[in-house]
Amino acid sequence: MTATSLTSTQGAGRAGDKVFSGATLAAGCLILAVLFGVALFLVVQAIPALTAPADKIQGGQGFFAYIWPIVIGTLIAAAIALVIATPVAIGVALFISHFAPRRLASGLGYVVDLLAAIPSVVYGAWGAAFLAKEIAPAYGWLATNMGWLPIFQGPASTTGKTILTAGIVLAVMVLPIITSLSREIFLQTPKLHEEAALALGATRWEMIKMAVLPFARPGIISAIMLGLGRALGETMAVALVLSSGALTASLIQSGNQTIAAEIALNFPEASGLKVSTLIAAGLVLFVITLAVNMIARWVITRHKEFSGAN
């Protein structure tokens, strides 16, 4: 290669780097601009509801009295989903990455990824038409035998459309997300770390506990927070499964509501101040989601040494 052609190639490479750098910078700025635009829209549209007299808001006690029970319901449903889905997802991810034969692992991975592509309305229809009916007798048993606990206090719903059923449906929905991300992080564990642990006499479980899980911890947290974001914002599945009502501590009674379902069920017929109220509820959900992501980022930053976050 002559000096002229080498110089020409280097010049083209530098030009390509500049174009690529400018494109990525523009994409990053566009994301920030869209986020700012959404936040600005929510704030402007929510001001009438935030400043309206208390008796004009649904319930007659002001916006915060209206939104507080719905926020609690949203957090309860998301918490139920994570409590159920997280251990199952991590177990499935570990089985696929470290225990299953290669052919079986690839097939299971494909099936798990396929679950994430199912529309939420299908999950909601399954929960309303099948799961709620099948699980209703179990709610009756819980009310009879464990009703001394506030979360299982009766009378149990005969339809099965409760916040617990909604949480189970959400758990099924977030399961493939947490599983897929955790599996990819587990597969990135340095082989030297795994082989060193096994060479020192560790069993396979001890190797996973000492080498794989510490390495994957920030990645697992990221996967859980991504699943939490899906659970917080899910609309149709919750709207179909949950028989909404007043806030209650019992998970097996009819009642409770989530922000996303509240907006979906009421927005088509809303007008005037009601629209502003629902948009203000969306602003609250936006703030909750933003706070969750900021906390997740802080946790990952604190534990990123010797981890999949490097």
Side-chain angles (χ1 to χ4, degrees):
M1 181 179 294
T2 64
T4 302
S5 60
L6 180 61
T7 303
S8 177
T9 302
Q10 291 176 343
R14 285 194 293 268
D17 288 342
K18 291 181 179 179
V19 172
F20 181 74
S21 177
T24 54
L25 177 61
C29 293
L30 179 61
I31 291 295
L32 293 177
V34 170
L35 183 64
F36 176 77
V38 170
L40 182 62
F41 167 80
L42 292 174
V43 170
V44 172
Q45 295 296 320
I47 289 176
L50 298 175
T51 58
D55 58 348
K56 299 294 184 180
I57 304 297
Q58 181 177 332
Q61 297 182 356
F63 174 75
F64 291 101
Y66 159 76
I67 197 63
W68 179 249
I70 307 177
V71 170
I72 298 299
T74 303
L75 296 178
I76 290 174
I80 293 172
L82 290 187
V83 168
I84 296 174
T86 299
V88 176
I90 293 175
V92 172
L94 282 174
F95 176 75
I96 293 174
S97 61
H98 285 82
F99 290 93
R102 180 170 299 180
R103 291 184 178 180
L104 178 60
S106 60
L108 285 176
Y110 174 77
V111 171
V112 169
D113 293 339
L114 187 62
L115 287 174
I118 298 177
S120 60
V121 68
V122 175
Y123 284 111
W126 166 75
F130 175 77
L131 180 62
K133 294 180 181 179
E134 297 298 325
I135 207 170
Y139 291 163
W141 184 90
L142 287 173
T144 302
N145 296 278
M146 302 186 68
W148 51 274
L149 289 173
I151 60 173
F152 296 133
Q153 188 175 10
S157 171
T158 57
T159 63
K161 293 185 176 182
T162 67
I163 193 71
L164 182 55
T165 305
I168 294 173
V169 173
L170 289 176
V172 176
M173 295 179 66
V174 304
L175 181 66
I177 298 174
I178 302 176
T179 301
S180 297
L181 293 178
S182 298
R183 179 192 67 208
E184 295 302 322
I185 293 296
F186 293 154
L187 290 174
Q188 293 177 17
T189 305
K191 292 299 180 182
L192 288 177
H193 296 171
E194 297 181 2
E195 293 171 357
L198 294 172
L200 291 174
T203 64
R204 181 171 295 187
W205 164 242
E206 289 172 337
M207 177 271 292
I208 290 173
K209 185 171 64 174
M210 291 186 299
V212 177
L213 294 181
F215 174 85
R217 181 170 53 189
I220 294 173
I221 295 173
S222 299
I224 293 172
M225 290 303 156
L226 186 60
L228 176 59
R230 173 75 184 273
L232 288 173
E234 181 50 47
T235 303
M236 288 308 301
V238 177
L240 290 172
V241 172
L242 181 60
S243 179
S244 60
L247 178 66
T248 175
S250 177
L251 304 180
I252 60 175
Q253 294 182 15
S254 297
N256 296 309
Q257 181 63 298
T258 67
I259 296 176
E262 174 78 4
I263 296 172
L265 291 174
N266 293 283
F267 202 88
E269 300 178 356
S271 61
L273 186 60
K274 181 62 176 177
V275 174
S276 296
T277 303
L278 294 175
I279 293 178
L283 176 62
V284 173
L285 182 59
F286 179 86
V287 172
I288 293 174
T289 306
L290 184 63
V292 166
N293 282 279
M294 291 177 65
I295 293 173
R297 177 56 55 188
W298 175 73
V299 172
I300 293 170
T301 302
R302 285 191 59 193
H303 299 93
K304 67 181 180 179
E305 292 80 9
F306 182 61
S307 69
N310 288 334

